[in-house]
Amino acid sequence: MAVYNGARWLTPQLDSILVELRSDDEIVIVDDASTDDSVALIEAFDDPRVRLIRQKANRGYVATFEHALSLASREVILLSDQDDVWIPGRRDLLCAAVDSAEVAASDLVLLGDGAPLPHPLTRRPWRLGRSRPSDRIRRQLTIWAGIAPYFGCAMAVRREFLSTVLPFPTFLTESHDLWIATVANASATLEHVHSPSVQRRLHEANASPSRPRGVRAVLRARVMLVRCSIEAVRRIRRRPRSKA
């Protein structure tokens, strides 16, 4: 979890996570130099499963998530935002999904009424499609187009996958979740879970925009995602081949 000035939302989120975890699980929280009561609130939980790391300078959510991923020590890593709420059963659902994949992504719903998350452009529900290796080109096109519903808060990653996805590309300034999905899709190890695992809270401070952006910002983002695809293929080609 990457945290920055999230004191308004952290208590219900951490409550929903801790009740899901087993005694040997952990929560790795990297605080991105918050100026509110986030750190004090996290420390007040006084739970041995909570690992809090404080960054002295604000680095932004992409670098902070990268730092948190590098510190995770368990075999399966579930990404989490600071302002959502886990749906009961999320841990086991996503852990089961990565038994046969390196990355799993689930559906998600809105916090409050449980409605499907709407796409900011079409206003239609943002749902994952089929998950087959042969669909890799179609899925990548939806990522480039900005209509693929891959949210980090609904993802699980196997630990061995981190050697490919980390470090993040230096040009990655947003959408770390789309970078993870791009690498997993390129290596045909992306599993879709057609069940919601998280209730997403929408508010003006969301890192993922909830309404359309300007043309220049969209074009910059699309160029960055194409570069991500090129870098993903390069890294996958460098991976050692498994022995038969």
Side-chain angles (χ1 to χ4, degrees):
M1 180 188 294
V3 167
Y4 178 68
N5 289 351
R8 287 176 290 173
W9 312 293
L10 277 167
T11 295
Q13 173 65 306
L14 289 175
D15 283 340
S16 73
I17 294 174
L18 287 169
V19 75
E20 284 280 295
L21 300 188
R22 300 177 182 176
S23 59
D24 58 344
D25 290 336
E26 65 176 0
I27 307 178
V28 177
I29 302 174
V30 178
D31 179 78
D32 195 21
S34 292
T35 57
D36 66 356
D37 295 330
S38 291
V39 168
L41 188 153
I42 295 166
E43 291 175 337
F45 273 81
D46 193 26
D47 191 304
R49 296 171 295 180
V50 177
R51 292 176 56 197
L52 174 62
I53 297 88
R54 301 177 64 177
Q55 293 181 161
K56 295 182 179 179
N58 183 270
R59 300 176 61 197
Y61 76 93
V62 171
T64 303
F65 264 115
E66 180 182 24
H67 190 191
L69 285 170
S70 71
L71 296 173
S73 63
R74 302 304 193 265
E75 291 304 309
V76 177
I77 302 155
L78 278 65
L79 281 70
S80 178
D81 288 347
Q82 66 181 5
D83 48 5
D84 301 323
V85 173
W86 283 20
I87 291 175
R90 168 183 161 89
R91 179 201 181 278
D92 292 344
L93 178 72
L94 292 185
C95 284
V98 292
D99 275 346
S100 57
E102 290 184 308
V103 176
S106 80
D107 290 335
L108 61 168
V109 295
L110 291 175
L111 181 63
D113 59 10
L117 187 69
H119 190 283
L121 292 177
T122 65
R123 308 311 299 175
R124 295 179 179 177
W126 224 337
R127 299 184 188 277
L128 292 168
R130 295 174 298 171
S131 179
R132 300 185 307 187
S134 60
D135 291 332
R136 283 185 292 170
I137 294 177
R138 178 184 59 81
R139 284 200 300 266
Q140 194 56 54
L141 289 174
T142 63
I143 291 175
W144 290 346
I147 57 175
Y150 295 116
F151 292 86
C153 62
M155 282 184 173
V157 177
R158 291 200 65 82
R159 181 173 178 77
E160 56 262 30
F161 183 72
L162 294 184
S163 62
T164 303
V165 79
L166 295 180
F168 288 168
T170 55
F171 58 79
L172 191 72
T173 57
E174 64 179 23
S175 302
H176 63 289
D177 39 16
L178 294 183
W179 159 246
I180 294 171
T182 294
V183 180
N185 183 52
S187 61
T189 58
L190 177 60
E191 178 69 20
H192 291 177
V193 178
H194 299 287
S195 179
S197 70
V198 64
Q199 299 178 78
R200 182 162 177 78
R201 187 191 304 271
L202 294 184
H203 54 83
E204 290 301 315
N206 282 131
S208 299
S210 57
R211 53 189 175 186
R213 300 189 291 177
V215 175
R216 290 185 179 180
V218 169
L219 289 176
R220 284 196 300 268
R222 299 299 170 263
V223 170
M224 185 190 68
L225 291 175
V226 172
R227 294 180 69 186
C228 283
S229 298
I230 297 170
E231 176 64 14
V233 171
R234 187 183 70 84
R235 293 194 187 190
I236 290 166
R237 287 176 175 173
R238 291 188 329 192
R239 296 174 70 171
R241 296 184 178 180
S242 58
K243 296 180 180 180

